[in-house]
Amino acid sequence: MTSTLETAGAPAWSVDTMKAAVVTEFGAPLEISELPLPAPGHREALVKLETSGVCHTDLHAAQGDWPVKPQPPFVPGHEGYGTVVALGPGVDDLEVGDKVGNAWLWSACGRCEYCRTGWETLCEKQQNGGYTVNGSFGTYMLVNVDYAVRIPDGADPVEVAPILCAGVTVYKGLKETETRPGQWVAISGIGGLGHVAVQYARAMGMRVLAVDIDDAKLALATRLGAEIALNARTTDVAAEAHRATGGMHGVLVTAVHPQAFGQAIGLARRGGTIVFNGLPAGEFPASIFDIVLNRLTIRGSIVGTRQDMVEALDFYARGLIKPMVTTAKLEDINDIFHRMERGQIDGRMVIDYR
Ligand code: NAD
Ligand code: ZN
Ligand code: ZN
């Protein structure tokens, strides 16, 4: 059967299936499948994808790493970029042909205390792209028009994709460290998130110390403007950070090993703020005495609001952020995950559907 979606002013557009990478079971390889094309509901749009970044969160999702799990079968992906091809009912603020992205914050209720007070990222009724709603690891996806990301003119389809999660997450996370221009911030974990975090921190006027366990990633951080780069496998990073700078005013952890989280606390100077973006399953030990006596603030930070997204994209559009990207095909997804698990990806892998 062929479904036909017609939109005012646009030619009738007809196709009945799409190709997607589907998680059928946690920990199993994703299956490349033909799925029925979804029809956009009220205030939704159907988007033909051009690119999608691959975030480590997609790997956590596919492995069922977190206490709150998605429900297989599902399609991961929340750094998708493409073109609106059909509109559901009630849409007067988006047109066929517009360039949009999906995001982790696929929708929120818009009415609860969190939504009303600028904390829509904490909405208990939120839907998440590639987790509770099918995402961008497919040739088409649905977006919620109220939360879909409007992509600035002139954006490169491949480079802009990582901004939609990695970019907005670290931009918000850096703001949450409350580090001011001229002060020191440590970025722990120089992967997809961390390598753009170094660039945002520099653009925001901060001095950057990078921490990773891989020398190639530290070399990338240095090229991107980190003044100090420390290997946590071979260096006592806390001691070295304090010796060289007096300690960090802010610390942003984007690493995927719990060990980095306890270690991050030791990087901070007295009064410092440590923000956790990374989400490995697990726990870490922390000294209550050090936290109290040093008046440390430790907080989590989850993606960013729509306004944070506008700001994060604006840094990109002004040429201040240039994600380091390698393209691949949808069929490569299991290989990408395999390399991601081993820390073998420099920057971000982006699926190119074109
Ligand atoms: P990635 O795989 O691209 O990068 C992870 C990096 O961590 C790698 O460079 C790796 O070498 C480094 N690393 C591993 N162990 C380390 C250690 N002990 N010390 C320092 N560095 C170490 O992953 P990514 O896509 O950048 O995502 C990172 C994490 O952030 C994931 O857990 C992901 O789920 C999470 N995330 C959170 C949010 C949020 O809103 N809070 C948003 C996106 C991603
Ligand atoms: Zn993500
Ligand atoms: Zn809400």
Side-chain angles (χ1 to χ4, degrees):
M1 199 183 80
T2 298
S3 64
T4 303
L5 298 161
E6 285 190 67
T7 321
W13 171 87
S14 166
V15 65
D16 55 0
T17 60
M18 56 176 274
K19 186 169 69 172
V22 182
V23 176
T24 54
E25 192 187 329
F26 293 131
L30 277 65
E31 286 178 18
I32 307 295
S33 310
E34 292 279 319
L35 298 184
L37 200 70
H42 182 70
R43 289 202 55 74
E44 291 177 357
L46 182 67
V47 175
K48 185 177 196 303
L49 279 142
E50 292 184 31
T51 58
S52 175
V54 181
C55 179
H56 206 113
T57 290
D58 299 313
L59 177 56
H60 292 309
Q63 293 182 329
D65 277 347
W66 297 338
V68 179
K69 297 184 196 307
Q71 191 64 53
F74 67 95
V75 179
H78 54 274
E79 285 185 351
Y81 162 88
T83 308
V84 174
V85 292
L87 302 171
V91 181
D92 55 5
D93 47 348
L94 200 64
E95 287 176 13
V96 168
D98 284 354
K99 300 294 188 188
V100 298
N102 73 341
W104 177 254
L105 189 69
W106 194 87
S107 71
C109 84
R111 289 182 292 273
C112 70
E113 180 188 332
Y114 301 116
C115 285
R116 289 198 311 270
T117 56
W119 286 100
E120 61 197 21
T121 49
L122 304 182
C123 177
E124 292 186 31
K125 292 189 176 144
Q126 71 184 272
Q127 298 287 334
N128 298 120
Y131 210 78
T132 61
V133 177
N134 278 345
S136 51
F137 289 0
T139 49
Y140 292 88
M141 67 177 177
L142 292 177
V143 293
N144 178 304
V145 172
D146 292 309
Y147 291 82
V149 186
R150 272 63 169 179
I151 306 293
D153 289 344
D156 177 81
V158 175
E159 276 182 5
V160 77
I163 305 294
L164 304 178
C165 178
V168 70
T169 298
V170 301
Y171 171 65
K172 175 68 158 201
L174 285 164
K175 287 204 281 189
E176 289 280 71
T177 68
E178 298 180 28
T179 310
R180 292 195 297 271
Q183 295 186 329
W184 280 100
V185 69
I187 312 292
S188 172
I190 309 295
L193 264 62
H195 92 287
V196 286
V198 173
Q199 299 178 57
Y200 276 102
R202 292 277 298 171
M204 293 159 87
M206 302 165 189
R207 303 185 71 180
V208 176
L209 179 149
V211 178
D212 204 291
I213 51 169
D214 181 287
D215 283 334
K217 296 191 168 70
L218 292 168
L220 172 62
T222 303
R223 285 201 300 282
L224 295 172
E227 291 177 58
I228 304 173
L230 303 175
N231 189 323
R233 274 223 171 105
T234 54
T235 314
D236 180 343
V237 290
E240 184 53 25
H242 282 271
R243 191 199 60 75
T245 69
M248 298 290 113
H249 298 89
V251 180
L252 184 70
V253 186
T254 71
V256 287
H257 196 288
Q259 218 170 18
F261 290 70
Q263 198 169 58
I265 295 169
L267 292 167
R269 70 173 63 192
R270 293 184 163 208
T273 299
I274 300 115
V275 172
F276 294 162
N277 268 162
L279 271 165
E283 288 163 16
F284 64 90
S287 156
I288 296 165
F289 184 84
D290 287 350
I291 295 167
V292 174
L293 271 284
N294 295 332
R295 194 258 181 192
L296 299 177
T297 302
I298 302 174
R299 56 167 67 123
S301 182
I302 178 77
V303 292
T305 62
R306 287 169 291 180
Q307 180 58 28
D308 295 317
M309 185 74 86
V310 168
E311 294 169 16
L313 280 165
D314 186 58
F315 275 73
Y316 163 77
R318 287 186 289 132
L320 298 167
I321 311 295
K322 193 172 167 60
M324 186 176 143
V325 288
T326 308
T327 57
K329 293 288 161 201
L330 184 64
E331 288 75 9
D332 300 327
I333 188 63
N334 291 308
D335 180 51
I336 296 171
F337 276 170
H338 191 73
R339 289 174 55 194
M340 185 176 265
E341 256 179 323
R342 282 157 187 73
Q344 292 167 345
I345 294 170
D346 290 328
R348 200 50 133 197
M349 297 291 307
V350 175
I351 297 166
D352 193 342
Y353 297 100
R354 297 168 301 169

